[in-house]
Amino acid sequence: MSVTQETKVKKGRGRPKLFDREQALDRALELFWAHGYEATSLADLVAATGAKAPTLYAEFENKEGLFRAVMERYVEMFSAQRNATLQCKESGVATGIENYFRSTAACFTDRDKPAGCFFICTSTALSADSEEIADMLRKKHRSQEATLNAFLQERKALGELAEATDTAALSRYLTCVLQGMSVRAREGADRAELDGIVDTLMQLWPMLSGVCHQKMGR
């Protein structure tokens, strides 16, 4: 081997790997999702992402900063997809709700990733020392409820819900159903079981939405 060739080999061996931010976020997301915020250590994150600790600190500042970025990644990859089912103007309010819940059931039971809702799963077992993380997660829960409420208010204005329908109360109820579905998925429920919960929800929908009361009053 010539001196020039040997020099090129040494340079190639010493060249640092490029940091893949999205890949690191995806791997950190699965780790936090599966084990929670506090149970996931920096050493775990280093091992999962393949990045060294100084690289993670340079990119995200600290573990909390990485978790914040992971939350946004989850919204981008999963929450936004589910929320999109509510935006179809051609679908009635009942169809929009059903599609949203069916999509959620599929997401919660996808065997290629941890079961349940990332926000709900990571909310559990947080100590008082993680109050800032808990606050961030509470805001995400409220955001989900607000999305449902905005959808219901829009459809109420279009006459698809009874005038007396309390959209705020209904969106709180629907959010509780979603949280229950997440817990069931975490405990091992499959897609069919969660779809059964959605079936029951849709059977109750005329009463929940006030449609049946509206018809009886005519």
Side-chain angles (χ1 to χ4, degrees):
M1 179 183 295
S2 67
V3 174
T4 302
Q5 289 175 320
E6 185 176 355
T7 301
K8 288 182 178 179
V9 170
K10 288 182 178 180
K11 284 184 178 180
R13 288 174 180 170
R15 185 178 300 162
K17 294 181 179 179
L18 294 176
F19 177 68
D20 189 327
R21 191 176 194 275
E22 289 191 353
Q23 184 182 75
L25 285 175
D26 289 344
R27 291 178 178 175
L29 169 60
E30 288 203 11
L31 205 60
F32 282 128
W33 197 343
H35 304 292
Y37 177 77
E38 292 184 354
T40 302
S41 67
L42 181 61
D44 294 329
L45 293 166
V46 167
T49 62
K52 294 182 179 180
T55 301
L56 293 179
Y57 279 120
E59 186 71 24
F60 305 106
E61 295 187 8
N62 50 32
K63 179 182 169 182
E64 182 181 307
L66 175 55
F67 187 77
R68 189 188 302 273
V70 160
M71 286 199 303
E72 297 309 316
R73 182 68 169 165
Y74 177 81
V75 169
E76 174 190 341
M77 294 181 66
F78 302 108
S79 294
Q81 292 177 8
R82 302 203 310 269
N83 291 344
T85 62
L86 300 175
Q87 306 308 317
C88 180
K89 302 301 182 182
E90 290 74 24
S91 299
V93 60
T95 301
I97 289 295
E98 181 171 3
N99 289 343
Y100 179 81
F101 273 79
R102 300 279 183 207
S103 177
T104 298
C107 178
F108 285 1
T109 56
D110 184 346
R111 299 308 180 189
D112 290 333
K113 58 182 182 295
C117 172
F118 170 78
F119 296 130
I120 296 171
C121 293
T122 51
S123 294
T124 58
L126 284 173
S127 69
D129 294 335
S130 299
E131 180 57 31
E132 191 165 346
I133 295 296
D135 184 58
M136 286 193 293
L137 290 168
R138 279 193 294 269
K139 288 179 180 177
K140 292 299 181 184
H141 291 160
R142 288 195 290 269
S143 175
Q144 182 182 55
E145 185 177 314
T147 296
L148 287 168
N149 191 33
F151 169 75
L152 294 173
Q153 286 183 328
E154 177 185 342
R155 295 312 179 94
K156 181 178 177 179
L158 294 173
E160 296 183 38
L161 294 174
E163 187 61 34
T165 302
D166 185 340
T167 61
L170 182 52
S171 61
R172 283 194 295 271
Y173 172 79
L174 294 174
T175 301
C176 286
V177 174
L178 290 171
Q179 291 172 346
M181 288 170 59
S182 175
V183 172
R184 296 291 292 183
R186 197 70 165 183
E187 293 175 346
D190 59 13
R191 172 72 184 276
E193 183 174 330
L194 294 196
D195 272 338
I197 294 173
V198 180
D199 290 341
T200 301
L201 171 65
M202 298 319 298
Q203 288 171 5
L204 295 172
W205 182 255
M207 180 184 66
L208 294 172
S209 63
V211 173
C212 60
H213 298 293
Q214 186 180 44
K215 289 180 178 179
M216 288 172 62
R218 288 179 178 176

